[in-house]
Amino acid sequence: WLVDFLQYPYQEMDGFIRFLSKNEELNVFAKNVFGYSLLDYFDAIQDIQFAANEKEITIVNPQKISKDCCCELLVKIMDDNASNINEVNENFKTYKDITSIDYYFNPFIKIDTNQYLLMPKSLMSIGFYETIAAKYRSAGFYAANGSDFDSFVGTLIEHFVEEKCLQFGVKAGNGRIEIYANEKYKISHEDQIFLDTKSTSGECDLIITTEKNICFIESKKKNLCRKSYNGHTVNAYVDLSKSFFPSQKQALNHEILLKKNGRILFDSGRELLLKGRKIVRMSLTTFDFKSLQSKIIVQNLLINSFNKMFVSKNGDFASDLSKINEVFDKITHLVEKG
């Protein structure tokens, strides 16, 4: 039985929260509801990360580590987002009960009035996102466009990745790398019939092209749920059917139309030409999908799921399995067309 510790590179988490802290809607909401902005929260993270160790547990007093964030505000933020020493992982009894592990829901542990336990940075970093995300959800955040917190962040993630890719393109500097982001295109009636779809348009999250390759990148915010971590097969498939499989279906749509027509003309006026290049489909998730992130494993899952029907004697799984079957029906159809 494999029991692992959820970890995330703290530099990557810092960069992600820094990006989110630039958003005005998130900042205004936090300031009004939490009493501090997301930018204040990020400043607090910097102070805490600076005081934490990469490999060892650290005990700190917030009043002594305050630098970017003022002392009173740092104390408030740490109080608001800490686990109590007597409560963290209190329901974790056996090695099989992985779903009871909750240390990463908060980034640190409060020991007493002036002392907090900081775990090693890679163990603590994911808690910085989880705790603030939970606060936005419970407070009922909705963006001006009507999106709830997770949908709104899902859109921001696309911009985050776009920014990273554009930085990469600038660093490459040889003019042979092109990047397309959030490009939309129209699907002709002929192509609708070919794909057996009613959609009249398509959208590419990200495309990176070189002289030899075209990489379609489709992102999904869906995380791997805790039951999937605990080895529940159906839950793992459900999580994949809401993330990896549909993102591959979207990328496959783009690939088939590009191969069929030799080009995709985007609404922006830009044009993507095939030019005999190899096409790569990439699915991008927000956080780690554990072993399901392995190319070999997900390829085998995908290949061995074609033309299959998933059923269970347990009626509780009927709805979820019907969704999985629906996704695979569409993917199988596209593969046959390709």
Side-chain angles (χ1 to χ4, degrees):
W1 197 281
L2 176 65
V3 179
D4 62 349
F5 292 91
L6 189 63
Q7 301 181 69
Y8 204 80
Y10 69 90
Q11 303 95 329
E12 297 296 327
M13 185 57 68
D14 284 358
F16 181 47
I17 297 179
R18 180 190 291 112
F19 181 84
L20 294 182
S21 71
K22 298 175 185 176
N23 183 270
E24 187 64 19
E25 284 191 75
L26 292 177
N27 272 306
V28 170
F29 184 89
K31 188 73 173 177
N32 292 335
V33 178
F34 311 149
Y36 48 85
S37 68
L38 191 56
L39 193 58
D40 292 329
Y41 181 73
F42 175 72
D43 286 341
I45 289 175
Q46 295 304 287
D47 287 347
I48 296 164
Q49 293 277 40
F50 184 78
N53 190 286
E54 292 195 24
K55 297 181 179 180
E56 298 176 359
I57 288 174
T58 313
I59 306 296
V60 299
N61 182 329
Q63 297 176 343
K64 295 181 180 179
I65 65 172
S66 173
K67 289 183 175 64
D68 293 334
C69 186
C70 77
C71 182
E72 290 183 0
L73 188 56
L74 180 60
V75 171
K76 174 178 173 53
I77 290 173
M78 293 188 77
D79 277 344
D80 282 356
N81 300 288
S83 295
N84 185 283
I85 188 67
N86 297 316
E87 297 175 357
V88 64
N89 282 354
E90 66 177 339
N91 294 318
F92 180 56
K93 306 298 182 184
T94 74
Y95 64 92
K96 291 185 178 182
D97 196 17
I98 298 173
T99 56
S100 295
I101 297 175
D102 60 12
Y103 72 85
Y104 57 87
F105 284 173
N106 298 97
F108 33 79
I109 301 168
K110 187 171 183 177
I111 299 175
D112 58 37
T113 305
N114 296 313
Q115 285 192 315
Y116 295 80
L117 184 152
L118 307 182
M119 290 182 289
K121 291 184 180 183
S122 63
L123 295 175
M124 179 173 61
S125 64
I126 197 168
F128 286 118
Y129 175 77
E130 290 292 347
T131 186
I132 201 70
K135 291 175 79 70
Y136 275 102
R137 293 187 195 107
S138 63
F141 171 87
Y142 278 91
N145 64 6
S147 300
D148 62 15
F149 175 77
D150 289 302
S151 298
F152 187 63
V153 170
T155 302
L156 292 181
I157 287 170
E158 293 179 11
H159 296 305
F160 175 66
V161 177
E162 176 188 353
E163 181 181 275
K164 292 292 184 183
C165 287
L166 289 172
Q167 290 173 0
F168 170 74
V170 170
K171 288 177 181 177
N174 53 22
R176 291 178 293 186
I177 294 174
E178 283 191 278
I179 295 173
Y180 302 73
N182 299 303
E183 293 281 5
K184 298 180 181 180
Y185 61 89
K186 293 178 177 60
I187 301 176
S188 68
H189 182 63
E190 177 190 333
D191 287 338
Q192 283 180 279
I193 296 173
F194 182 74
L195 293 175
D196 190 22
T197 180
K198 295 181 180 179
S199 298
T200 58
S201 63
E203 182 175 359
C204 303
D205 289 347
L206 280 166
I207 307 170
I208 299 176
T209 71
T210 65
E211 290 181 335
K212 297 182 179 180
N213 299 287
I214 296 173
C215 181
F216 287 109
I217 303 175
E218 293 295 324
S219 67
K220 294 292 179 185
K221 184 181 176 296
K222 179 74 180 74
N223 296 338
L224 198 63
C225 76
R226 302 174 81 195
K227 287 186 178 180
S228 298
Y229 283 143
N230 210 24
H232 291 256
T233 307
V234 174
N235 290 102
Y237 256 97
V238 169
D239 286 344
L240 288 173
S241 71
K242 293 178 180 178
S243 54
F244 172 69
F245 297 143
S247 62
Q248 283 292 299
K249 179 178 73 68
Q250 286 176 270
L252 194 54
N253 266 323
H254 310 324
E255 176 182 349
I256 290 172
L257 291 179
L258 181 57
K259 285 180 175 178
K260 176 180 178 291
N261 301 319
R263 68 169 194 155
I264 296 179
L265 180 62
F266 296 114
D267 295 348
S268 65
R270 296 185 73 185
E271 188 176 43
L272 176 65
L273 299 174
L274 179 57
K275 294 183 178 179
R277 289 179 285 187
K278 177 184 176 182
I279 295 178
V280 178
R281 299 190 308 273
M282 184 181 296
S283 296
L284 185 66
T285 59
T286 313
F287 297 116
D288 188 15
F289 258 55
K290 301 296 180 183
S291 61
L292 295 181
Q293 202 113 348
S294 162
K295 180 180 178 181
I296 294 174
I297 290 176
V298 293
Q299 275 186 337
N300 280 314
L301 283 173
L302 197 57
I303 291 169
N304 290 306
S305 298
F306 290 146
N307 296 312
K308 298 290 194 306
M309 179 69 70
F310 293 92
V311 296
S312 173
K313 293 180 181 179
N314 187 337
D316 295 338
F317 296 141
S319 177
D320 288 332
L321 290 175
S322 67
K323 293 174 185 176
I324 295 172
N325 291 328
E326 183 181 350
V327 170
F328 276 119
D329 283 345
K330 292 178 180 177
I331 292 177
T332 300
H333 175 73
L334 288 173
V335 169
E336 290 170 349
K337 288 290 184 180

